[in-house]
Amino acid sequence: MSPRTRPSMPEAPWSHLPPAAPLDLAVDAVRLAEEVAALSDLTWRANRPVSQSGLGAEDAFDWKIIPLRGPGGSARRTDPGGAGLEDHRDTAALARCPYHAEVLSQIPAPLHSVRLMALGPGAETHEHRDGRTNFPWGSLRLHIPVVTQPGAELVVGGRTYHWPAGRLWYADFDRLHVARNRSPRRRVHLVVDCVPTLALMALFPADFRAQLPWSDVLLARETVPLQRFEQEDLCCEIDVPANFPDWSDDSGADPAHSLPGAVQMVDDRLVLSIAGEPRFGLVHIGNAEFRLQGWTDERTVALDLMRPDPVARFRVRRGRFTDEQVRVVRSVRSPSIGPTCSPATRSPAIGSTRSSVIGSVRSSAIESGAVA
Protein backbone atom coordinates (compact mmCIF):
# COMPACT_ATOMS: atom_id res chain seq x y z
CA MET A 1 0.00 0.00 0.00
CA SER A 2 1.36 3.41 -0.86
CA PRO A 3 2.16 5.94 1.89
CA ARG A 4 -0.81 7.97 0.70
CA THR A 5 -3.31 5.22 1.44
CA ARG A 6 -1.60 3.26 4.23
CA PRO A 7 -3.54 3.45 7.54
CA SER A 8 -1.60 5.04 10.36
CA MET A 9 -0.55 2.07 12.52
CA PRO A 10 1.14 2.30 15.91
CA GLU A 11 4.64 1.01 16.60
CA ALA A 12 4.68 -2.73 17.23
CA PRO A 13 4.14 -3.18 20.99
CA TRP A 14 5.44 -6.78 20.76
CA SER A 15 8.88 -5.81 19.34
CA HIS A 16 10.47 -5.94 22.83
CA LEU A 17 9.80 -9.68 23.09
CA PRO A 18 12.64 -12.16 22.50
CA PRO A 19 12.91 -13.16 18.82
CA ALA A 20 12.56 -16.85 19.75
CA ALA A 21 11.53 -19.05 22.67
CA PRO A 22 11.39 -22.78 23.48
CA LEU A 23 7.89 -24.14 24.18
CA ASP A 24 7.00 -26.69 26.80
CA LEU A 25 6.67 -29.63 24.41
CA ALA A 26 9.48 -32.16 24.00
CA VAL A 27 9.26 -35.10 21.59
CA ASP A 28 11.32 -38.10 20.50
CA ALA A 29 13.52 -36.75 17.71
CA VAL A 30 14.88 -40.21 16.92
CA ARG A 31 11.39 -41.52 16.12
CA LEU A 32 10.70 -38.47 13.99
CA ALA A 33 13.98 -38.93 12.10
CA GLU A 34 13.23 -42.61 11.48
CA GLU A 35 9.87 -41.72 9.91
CA VAL A 36 11.54 -39.06 7.75
CA ALA A 37 14.10 -41.63 6.58
CA ALA A 38 11.25 -44.00 5.64
CA LEU A 39 9.97 -41.38 3.17
CA SER A 40 13.06 -41.82 0.98
CA ASP A 41 10.91 -42.90 -1.97
CA LEU A 42 9.17 -39.50 -2.02
CA THR A 43 10.45 -36.49 -3.91
CA TRP A 44 11.64 -33.53 -1.88
CA ARG A 45 10.32 -30.60 -3.91
CA ALA A 46 11.72 -27.09 -4.08
CA ASN A 47 10.16 -24.42 -1.91
CA ARG A 48 7.79 -22.09 -3.75
CA PRO A 49 6.44 -18.90 -2.23
CA VAL A 50 2.77 -18.02 -2.55
CA SER A 51 0.86 -14.75 -2.57
CA GLN A 52 -2.53 -13.46 -3.64
CA SER A 53 -1.08 -13.47 -7.17
CA GLY A 54 -0.50 -17.24 -7.03
CA LEU A 55 2.54 -19.49 -6.75
CA GLY A 56 5.97 -17.97 -7.32
CA ALA A 57 9.11 -19.43 -8.85
CA GLU A 58 10.92 -22.29 -7.12
CA ASP A 59 13.82 -21.33 -4.89
CA ALA A 60 17.09 -21.96 -6.71
CA PHE A 61 19.12 -23.12 -3.69
CA ASP A 62 18.91 -26.43 -1.79
CA TRP A 63 15.70 -25.78 0.18
CA LYS A 64 13.39 -28.80 -0.22
CA ILE A 65 10.04 -29.78 1.25
CA ILE A 66 7.71 -32.71 1.82
CA PRO A 67 4.26 -31.39 2.81
CA LEU A 68 2.43 -33.27 5.56
CA ARG A 69 -0.50 -30.88 5.59
CA GLY A 70 -1.32 -28.15 3.13
CA PRO A 71 -3.79 -26.58 0.70
CA GLY A 72 -6.28 -29.24 -0.33
CA GLY A 73 -3.95 -31.96 0.98
CA SER A 74 -1.81 -31.67 -2.17
CA ALA A 75 1.47 -33.59 -2.16
CA ARG A 76 2.91 -31.17 -4.73
CA ARG A 77 2.23 -27.89 -2.95
CA THR A 78 5.32 -26.88 -0.97
CA ASP A 79 3.97 -23.46 -0.05
CA PRO A 80 2.10 -22.76 3.21
CA GLY A 81 -1.08 -21.73 1.41
CA GLY A 82 -3.16 -18.66 2.05
CA ALA A 83 -6.62 -17.22 1.76
CA GLY A 84 -8.68 -18.83 -0.98
CA LEU A 85 -11.16 -21.61 -1.67
CA GLU A 86 -9.28 -24.52 -0.05
CA ASP A 87 -8.83 -25.72 3.50
CA HIS A 88 -5.57 -27.15 4.79
CA ARG A 89 -5.75 -30.95 4.82
CA ASP A 90 -3.45 -33.84 5.69
CA THR A 91 -1.41 -35.26 2.82
CA ALA A 92 -0.81 -38.93 2.06
CA ALA A 93 2.71 -38.57 3.49
CA LEU A 94 1.36 -37.83 6.96
CA ALA A 95 -0.53 -41.15 6.91
CA ARG A 96 2.87 -42.81 6.67
CA CYS A 97 4.17 -40.91 9.71
CA PRO A 98 2.04 -41.91 12.71
CA TYR A 99 4.45 -40.47 15.26
CA HIS A 100 4.45 -37.11 13.44
CA ALA A 101 0.64 -37.22 13.59
CA GLU A 102 0.83 -37.97 17.32
CA VAL A 103 3.16 -35.02 17.89
CA LEU A 104 0.92 -32.70 15.89
CA SER A 105 -2.08 -33.77 17.97
CA GLN A 106 -0.24 -32.48 21.04
CA ILE A 107 -0.10 -28.92 19.68
CA PRO A 108 -3.25 -27.32 21.15
CA ALA A 109 -4.11 -25.06 18.23
CA PRO A 110 -5.81 -25.19 14.81
CA LEU A 111 -3.17 -26.33 12.32
CA HIS A 112 -2.74 -24.84 8.86
CA SER A 113 0.27 -26.07 6.90
CA VAL A 114 2.76 -28.65 8.22
CA ARG A 115 5.95 -29.23 6.23
CA LEU A 116 9.18 -31.15 6.52
CA MET A 117 11.74 -28.58 5.39
CA ALA A 118 15.26 -29.68 4.49
CA LEU A 119 18.16 -27.25 4.10
CA GLY A 120 21.08 -28.81 2.27
CA PRO A 121 24.76 -28.63 3.28
CA GLY A 122 26.14 -25.14 2.69
CA ALA A 123 22.72 -23.74 1.78
CA GLU A 124 21.55 -20.38 3.07
CA THR A 125 18.37 -18.39 2.52
CA HIS A 126 18.41 -14.71 1.73
CA GLU A 127 17.48 -12.36 4.56
CA HIS A 128 13.71 -12.00 4.50
CA ARG A 129 10.49 -11.72 6.49
CA ASP A 130 7.56 -14.16 6.46
CA GLY A 131 4.76 -11.67 6.00
CA ARG A 132 1.92 -11.53 8.52
CA THR A 133 3.38 -14.32 10.65
CA ASN A 134 3.22 -13.54 14.36
CA PHE A 135 0.77 -12.81 17.19
CA PRO A 136 -0.96 -9.70 15.74
CA TRP A 137 -1.97 -11.55 12.57
CA GLY A 138 -3.12 -14.73 14.32
CA SER A 139 -0.56 -16.98 12.64
CA LEU A 140 2.46 -18.58 14.33
CA ARG A 141 5.18 -20.54 12.55
CA LEU A 142 6.64 -23.13 14.94
CA HIS A 143 9.63 -25.45 14.42
CA ILE A 144 10.64 -28.85 15.72
CA PRO A 145 14.22 -29.69 14.67
CA VAL A 146 14.26 -33.32 13.53
CA VAL A 147 17.73 -33.77 12.03
CA THR A 148 20.25 -31.11 13.02
CA GLN A 149 23.85 -30.57 13.98
CA PRO A 150 26.17 -27.67 14.90
CA GLY A 151 26.36 -25.23 12.03
CA ALA A 152 22.62 -25.45 11.31
CA GLU A 153 21.48 -22.04 12.45
CA LEU A 154 18.64 -19.55 12.35
CA VAL A 155 19.40 -15.84 12.64
CA VAL A 156 16.25 -14.03 13.79
CA GLY A 157 16.17 -10.35 14.67
CA GLY A 158 19.95 -10.24 14.72
CA ARG A 159 20.33 -13.18 17.15
CA THR A 160 21.81 -16.52 16.12
CA TYR A 161 20.19 -19.76 17.30
CA HIS A 162 21.03 -23.44 17.02
CA TRP A 163 18.00 -25.36 18.20
CA PRO A 164 18.57 -28.93 19.44
CA ALA A 165 16.41 -31.70 18.01
CA GLY A 166 13.17 -32.76 19.67
CA ARG A 167 11.82 -29.48 21.07
CA LEU A 168 9.01 -27.20 19.86
CA TRP A 169 10.26 -23.67 19.19
CA TYR A 170 8.63 -20.33 18.45
CA ALA A 171 10.29 -17.54 16.50
CA ASP A 172 9.02 -14.19 15.29
CA PHE A 173 9.47 -14.74 11.57
CA ASP A 174 7.98 -11.35 10.79
CA ARG A 175 11.43 -10.07 11.79
CA LEU A 176 14.30 -10.25 9.34
CA HIS A 177 15.79 -13.74 9.47
CA VAL A 178 18.13 -16.14 7.71
CA ALA A 179 18.29 -19.94 7.76
CA ARG A 180 21.72 -21.40 7.03
CA ASN A 181 23.39 -24.78 7.18
CA ARG A 182 27.16 -24.67 7.56
CA SER A 183 27.36 -28.37 8.36
CA PRO A 184 28.12 -31.23 5.91
CA ARG A 185 24.72 -32.88 6.47
CA ARG A 186 21.16 -31.98 5.57
CA ARG A 187 19.16 -30.21 8.25
CA VAL A 188 15.46 -31.14 8.58
CA HIS A 189 12.86 -29.23 10.59
CA LEU A 190 9.16 -29.96 11.05
CA VAL A 191 7.56 -26.55 10.43
CA VAL A 192 4.02 -26.00 11.70
CA ASP A 193 1.79 -23.04 10.90
CA CYS A 194 -1.01 -22.65 13.42
CA VAL A 195 -3.44 -20.17 14.96
CA PRO A 196 -2.68 -19.20 18.57
CA THR A 197 -4.97 -20.32 21.37
CA LEU A 198 -4.80 -19.80 25.12
CA ALA A 199 -3.78 -23.44 25.53
CA LEU A 200 -0.89 -22.96 23.08
CA MET A 201 0.18 -19.76 24.81
CA ALA A 202 0.40 -21.68 28.07
CA LEU A 203 3.34 -23.61 26.55
CA PHE A 204 5.42 -20.43 26.28
CA PRO A 205 7.95 -19.65 29.04
CA ALA A 206 6.45 -17.76 31.99
CA ASP A 207 8.81 -14.81 31.56
CA PHE A 208 7.84 -14.53 27.88
CA ARG A 209 4.11 -14.51 28.74
CA ALA A 210 4.73 -11.92 31.47
CA GLN A 211 5.99 -9.49 28.81
CA LEU A 212 3.36 -10.32 26.19
CA PRO A 213 0.83 -7.60 25.27
CA TRP A 214 -2.23 -9.88 25.27
CA SER A 215 -4.43 -7.31 23.53
CA ASP A 216 -2.20 -7.73 20.47
CA VAL A 217 -2.62 -11.51 20.21
CA LEU A 218 -5.20 -12.47 17.59
CA LEU A 219 -6.53 -15.71 19.07
CA ALA A 220 -8.39 -18.39 17.15
CA ARG A 221 -12.17 -18.18 17.16
CA GLU A 222 -14.37 -21.23 16.81
CA THR A 223 -16.25 -21.87 13.59
CA VAL A 224 -19.99 -21.32 14.08
CA PRO A 225 -22.39 -23.41 11.94
CA LEU A 226 -25.06 -21.82 9.78
CA GLN A 227 -28.35 -23.31 8.65
CA ARG A 228 -28.91 -23.55 4.91
CA PHE A 229 -31.64 -20.90 5.04
CA GLU A 230 -29.27 -18.55 6.89
CA GLN A 231 -26.61 -19.01 4.22
CA GLU A 232 -29.11 -18.25 1.48
CA ASP A 233 -30.39 -15.15 3.27
CA LEU A 234 -26.83 -13.79 3.47
CA CYS A 235 -26.36 -13.83 -0.31
CA CYS A 236 -25.94 -10.29 -1.58
CA GLU A 237 -24.12 -8.06 -4.03
CA ILE A 238 -21.52 -5.69 -2.66
CA ASP A 239 -18.52 -3.67 -3.64
CA VAL A 240 -15.25 -4.88 -2.11
CA PRO A 241 -12.45 -2.52 -1.02
CA ALA A 242 -9.71 -2.86 -3.62
CA ASN A 243 -7.06 -3.78 -1.05
CA PHE A 244 -9.13 -6.41 0.81
CA PRO A 245 -8.11 -9.38 -1.43
CA ASP A 246 -4.40 -8.56 -0.84
CA TRP A 247 -3.88 -11.02 2.03
CA SER A 248 -0.17 -11.63 1.41
CA ASP A 249 1.35 -8.16 1.04
CA ASP A 250 0.61 -4.52 0.37
CA SER A 251 -0.18 -4.23 -3.34
CA GLY A 252 -0.64 -0.48 -3.37
CA ALA A 253 -4.38 -0.78 -4.06
CA ASP A 254 -6.34 2.19 -2.76
CA PRO A 255 -8.96 1.06 -0.20
CA ALA A 256 -11.17 3.95 -1.27
CA HIS A 257 -11.57 2.19 -4.64
CA SER A 258 -13.89 -0.78 -5.03
CA LEU A 259 -14.21 -4.03 -6.95
CA PRO A 260 -17.63 -5.48 -7.86
CA GLY A 261 -18.36 -8.45 -5.62
CA ALA A 262 -21.01 -10.82 -4.33
CA VAL A 263 -21.61 -13.28 -1.52
CA GLN A 264 -22.96 -16.40 -3.23
CA MET A 265 -23.74 -20.05 -2.62
CA VAL A 266 -21.26 -22.24 -4.51
CA ASP A 267 -21.19 -26.00 -3.89
CA ASP A 268 -23.35 -25.63 -0.78
CA ARG A 269 -21.15 -23.04 0.88
CA LEU A 270 -20.82 -19.29 0.96
CA VAL A 271 -18.06 -17.71 -1.09
CA LEU A 272 -16.95 -14.17 -1.79
CA SER A 273 -16.78 -13.62 -5.53
CA ILE A 274 -14.95 -10.67 -7.07
CA ALA A 275 -15.66 -9.51 -10.61
CA GLY A 276 -17.69 -12.68 -11.16
CA GLU A 277 -14.93 -15.07 -10.00
CA PRO A 278 -15.22 -17.10 -6.76
CA ARG A 279 -12.14 -16.03 -4.78
CA PHE A 280 -12.58 -16.87 -1.10
CA GLY A 281 -14.53 -19.40 0.91
CA LEU A 282 -16.26 -17.72 3.85
CA VAL A 283 -15.96 -19.32 7.30
CA HIS A 284 -18.54 -18.17 9.82
CA ILE A 285 -17.13 -17.07 13.19
CA GLY A 286 -20.38 -15.72 14.63
CA ASN A 287 -22.85 -12.86 14.19
CA ALA A 288 -22.65 -13.02 10.38
CA GLU A 289 -18.91 -12.29 10.43
CA PHE A 290 -16.65 -14.42 8.24
CA ARG A 291 -12.94 -15.03 7.92
CA LEU A 292 -11.44 -16.10 4.61
CA GLN A 293 -10.96 -19.82 4.08
CA GLY A 294 -7.39 -20.96 4.73
CA TRP A 295 -6.63 -17.75 6.62
CA THR A 296 -7.02 -16.26 10.09
CA ASP A 297 -9.20 -13.52 11.57
CA GLU A 298 -6.60 -11.05 10.25
CA ARG A 299 -9.25 -10.02 7.71
CA THR A 300 -12.97 -10.64 7.93
CA VAL A 301 -16.21 -9.44 6.39
CA ALA A 302 -19.29 -8.84 8.56
CA LEU A 303 -22.66 -8.75 6.80
CA ASP A 304 -25.02 -6.35 8.55
CA LEU A 305 -28.11 -7.04 6.45
CA MET A 306 -30.94 -6.65 8.99
CA ARG A 307 -30.78 -2.86 9.13
CA PRO A 308 -32.82 -0.62 6.79
CA ASP A 309 -29.63 0.29 4.92
CA PRO A 310 -27.70 -3.02 4.74
CA VAL A 311 -23.91 -2.78 4.77
CA ALA A 312 -20.83 -5.01 4.70
CA ARG A 313 -17.94 -4.27 7.04
CA PHE A 314 -14.54 -5.29 5.71
CA ARG A 315 -12.04 -5.54 8.58
CA VAL A 316 -8.26 -5.88 8.48
CA ARG A 317 -6.54 -6.41 11.84
CA ARG A 318 -3.06 -6.03 13.22
CA GLY A 319 -3.13 -6.80 16.89
CA ARG A 320 -5.43 -4.37 18.67
CA PHE A 321 -5.58 -2.13 15.61
CA THR A 322 -8.50 -2.58 13.21
CA ASP A 323 -9.05 -0.87 9.88
CA GLU A 324 -12.70 -1.11 8.84
CA GLN A 325 -14.06 -0.18 5.43
CA VAL A 326 -17.86 -0.04 5.13
CA ARG A 327 -19.68 -0.61 1.85
CA VAL A 328 -23.36 -0.36 0.97
CA VAL A 329 -24.93 -3.70 0.05
CA ARG A 330 -26.24 -3.20 -3.47
CA SER A 331 -28.85 -5.96 -3.35
CA VAL A 332 -29.97 -8.70 -1.02
CA ARG A 333 -31.28 -12.09 -2.08
CA SER A 334 -35.03 -12.49 -2.21
CA PRO A 335 -36.08 -15.56 -0.17
CA SER A 336 -38.12 -16.86 -3.11
CA ILE A 337 -35.20 -16.76 -5.59
CA GLY A 338 -32.31 -19.27 -5.69
CA PRO A 339 -28.97 -19.02 -3.95
CA THR A 340 -27.79 -15.86 -5.68
CA CYS A 341 -29.04 -12.31 -5.47
CA SER A 342 -32.47 -11.64 -6.86
CA PRO A 343 -32.48 -9.82 -10.23
CA ALA A 344 -35.76 -8.19 -9.23
CA THR A 345 -34.13 -6.42 -6.30
CA ARG A 346 -31.00 -5.20 -8.04
CA SER A 347 -30.39 -1.48 -7.98
CA PRO A 348 -29.32 0.50 -11.06
CA ALA A 349 -25.79 0.61 -9.58
CA ILE A 350 -25.22 -3.12 -10.07
CA GLY A 351 -22.36 -3.76 -12.45
CA SER A 352 -20.81 -0.39 -11.76
CA THR A 353 -17.33 -0.27 -10.27
CA ARG A 354 -18.16 3.08 -8.66
CA SER A 355 -17.13 3.10 -5.03
CA SER A 356 -20.03 2.84 -2.60
CA VAL A 357 -18.04 3.77 0.45
CA ILE A 358 -20.23 5.14 3.20
CA GLY A 359 -17.63 5.19 5.89
CA SER A 360 -14.22 4.21 7.07
CA VAL A 361 -13.83 3.41 10.74
CA ARG A 362 -10.46 2.90 12.35
CA SER A 363 -10.60 1.83 15.97
CA SER A 364 -7.74 1.49 18.42
CA ALA A 365 -9.24 -1.50 20.21
CA ILE A 366 -11.05 -4.66 19.15
CA GLU A 367 -14.19 -5.56 21.04
CA SER A 368 -13.82 -8.25 23.67
CA GLY A 369 -14.18 -11.67 22.11
CA ALA A 370 -12.50 -10.78 18.80
CA VAL A 371 -9.04 -10.54 20.28
CA ALA A 372 -7.83 -11.41 23.74
Side-chain angles (χ1 to χ4, degrees), residues 178-209:
V178 172
R180 63 192 181 204
N181 185 9
R182 294 174 173 173
S183 79
R185 297 173 53 212
R186 184 173 66 176
R187 184 224 77 175
V188 179
H189 280 197
L190 179 65
V191 180
V192 180
D193 287 0
C194 62
V195 184
T197 63
L198 288 175
L200 178 66
M201 298 309 300
L203 300 181
F204 280 72
D207 57 347
F208 187 100
R209 286 183 279 118

Side-chain angles (χ1 to χ4, degrees), residues 57-356:
E58 293 183 350
D59 286 332
F61 56 96
D62 193 357
W63 186 225
K64 302 295 177 61
I65 293 171
I66 291 178
L68 301 184
R69 183 175 173 84
S74 170
R76 303 183 67 86
R77 290 278 298 268
T78 59
D79 63 280
L85 295 167
E86 293 181 303
D87 280 323
H88 294 84
R89 302 186 187 281
D90 297 345
T91 69
L94 183 59
R96 295 174 53 180
C97 300
Y99 185 59
H100 279 75
E102 180 183 331
V103 168
L104 294 174
S105 71
Q106 296 176 48
I107 299 176
L111 303 184
H112 282 186
S113 76
V114 178
R115 297 172 291 168
L116 291 167
M117 305 188 75
L119 191 62
E124 181 172 331
T125 70
H126 63 281
E127 189 175 50
H128 65 288
R129 302 176 190 269
D130 297 347
R132 293 185 170 90
T133 303
N134 201 18
F135 300 113
W137 297 279
S139 179
L140 299 185
R141 182 158 289 163
L142 308 178
H143 281 229
I144 299 178
V146 176
V147 178
T148 189
Q149 50 279 327
E153 299 172 337
L154 274 167
V155 182
V156 186
R159 299 190 193 180
T160 300
Y161 299 90
H162 168 67
W163 294 338
R167 186 71 178 266
L168 182 64
W169 285 83
Y170 153 84
D172 178 2
F173 291 111
D174 189 61
R175 304 189 197 194
L176 287 171
H177 62 277
V178 172
R180 63 192 181 204
N181 185 9
R182 294 174 173 173
S183 79
R185 297 173 53 212
R186 184 173 66 176
R187 184 224 77 175
V188 179
H189 280 197
L190 179 65
V191 180
V192 180
D193 287 0
C194 62
V195 184
T197 63
L198 288 175
L200 178 66
M201 298 309 300
L203 300 181
F204 280 72
D207 57 347
F208 187 100
R209 286 183 279 118
Q211 302 176 67
L212 183 68
W214 285 96
S215 57
D216 283 294
V217 181
L218 193 59
L219 292 170
R221 281 192 277 180
E222 293 286 339
T223 300
V224 179
L226 285 174
Q227 304 285 4
R228 171 72 185 219
F229 66 84
E230 293 179 282
Q231 293 178 302
E232 293 177 348
D233 287 345
L234 288 168
C235 291
C236 58
E237 293 193 356
I238 49 179
D239 285 333
V240 178
N243 67 329
F244 187 75
D246 297 347
W247 53 265
S248 65
D249 53 40
D250 295 331
S251 68
D254 190 337
H257 295 163
S258 294
L259 304 170
V263 174
Q264 299 173 307
M265 288 289 292
V266 176
D267 296 330
D268 296 321
R269 61 172 178 161
L270 287 174
V271 303
L272 177 63
S273 295
I274 299 175
E277 176 189 356
R279 288 284 301 278
F280 304 107
L282 295 177
V283 180
H284 186 230
I285 53 178
N287 304 112
E289 185 175 7
F290 299 83
R291 67 169 172 262
L292 306 183
Q293 193 166 18
W295 202 236
T296 73
D297 293 7
E298 182 265 342
R299 59 192 57 210
T300 64
V301 55
L303 301 174
D304 193 355
L305 305 185
M306 300 302 291
R307 49 191 286 163
D309 52 342
V311 298
R313 305 179 187 277
F314 294 89
R315 295 165 177 159
V316 178
R317 296 176 172 89
R318 181 185 181 222
R320 72 190 73 174
F321 182 90
T322 301
D323 181 73
E324 181 175 288
Q325 300 288 331
V326 183
R327 296 293 192 268
V328 170
V329 172
R330 291 188 272 122
S331 70
V332 179
R333 171 194 178 274
S334 167
S336 61
I337 307 296
T340 57
C341 302
S342 165
T345 61
R346 292 178 179 174
S347 71
I350 291 177
S352 169
T353 58
R354 176 180 59 85
S355 172
S356 57

